[in-house]
Amino acid sequence: MDGGDTASIEETLDVTTEHLDAMELCAEEVVADKGYHSNAVLVSVKERGLRSSISEPNRGRRKWSKNREAQQPTYANRRRIKGARGKSLLRQRGEKVERAFAHLLETGGLRRVHVRGQIEILKRIVLQGAALNLGILVRQIFGVGKPRVLQGERSVQLALAGW
């Protein structure tokens, strides 16, 4: 998907809706960061029958004389993100989505890719994403939270158990 976040969200929502329909589920809410906030996006999300919890950038006082149809969805979104549930959703998004991307880009070294060709880059991204997901599953199965915890607490437990 080329273009900015506000341009790509329509396609993302379409693909997500298709995947959810295949699983016989339906979306109820859209949670996104400041990059996705625009009048057109908020109007589109409302037309789809979804609730938006999209962080709002600091733009100062808004003038609604030229774009009245965006006023109600913007105020509704603002009300939701200031509430306890909206703040919780945005925190979960940051924790689950942004942390994974930060891990892939910084720790995993995907900020710079040293392979040629889109197919090779895609292979690298898919393999690294699969490794990240595998790490998450292994930590859930064995009950260990973060990788560094395994170095300390878990190794002590294994040593005491005679491993």
Side-chain angles (χ1 to χ4, degrees):
M1 288 179 252
D2 292 337
D5 291 340
T6 56
S8 67
I9 194 167
E10 292 295 324
E11 186 177 342
T12 303
L13 288 175
D14 291 338
V15 170
T16 303
T17 302
E18 288 175 21
H19 289 287
L20 289 174
D21 287 346
M23 295 186 296
E24 298 178 3
L25 298 171
C26 66
E28 296 176 2
E29 192 150 12
V30 174
V31 181
D33 64 8
K34 291 179 185 182
Y36 291 94
H37 192 281
S38 74
N39 290 341
V41 168
L42 292 173
V43 169
S44 172
V45 167
K46 182 182 180 197
E47 287 172 355
R48 289 174 180 259
L50 302 171
R51 290 185 307 268
S52 63
S53 292
I54 302 174
S55 296
E56 187 172 5
N58 297 327
R59 291 189 177 126
R61 188 166 174 84
R62 307 284 305 270
K63 295 178 184 174
W64 299 109
S65 58
K66 295 180 181 176
N67 202 355
R68 285 276 181 210
E69 68 274 0
Q71 184 177 10
Q72 194 274 333
T74 302
Y75 286 164
N77 179 71
R78 188 178 295 168
R79 185 186 71 247
R80 279 190 289 272
I81 63 172
K82 289 185 178 186
R85 184 171 183 277
K87 287 180 182 178
S88 173
L89 287 170
L90 290 170
R91 269 194 307 272
Q92 286 180 37
R93 185 201 149 276
E95 181 180 325
K96 295 176 180 170
V97 177
E98 293 299 328
R99 185 178 292 172
F101 281 128
H103 181 71
L104 287 173
L105 294 174
E106 301 301 331
T107 310
L110 278 182
R111 183 76 61 194
R112 303 261 189 277
V113 181
H114 301 285
V115 294
R116 289 185 180 198
Q118 283 185 318
I119 294 174
E120 296 301 316
I121 293 171
L122 183 60
K123 286 180 193 176
R124 169 109 191 257
I125 291 171
V126 168
L127 185 63
Q128 209 152 340
L132 175 73
N133 290 336
L134 182 61
I136 291 169
L137 286 173
V138 167
R139 283 191 295 280
Q140 282 183 340
I141 290 169
F142 293 111
V144 178
K146 299 175 187 169
R148 301 232 171 171
V149 173
L150 188 60
Q151 294 173 356
E153 186 179 317
R154 190 77 171 149
S155 60
V156 171
Q157 290 173 354
L158 291 173
L160 292 174
W163 283 77

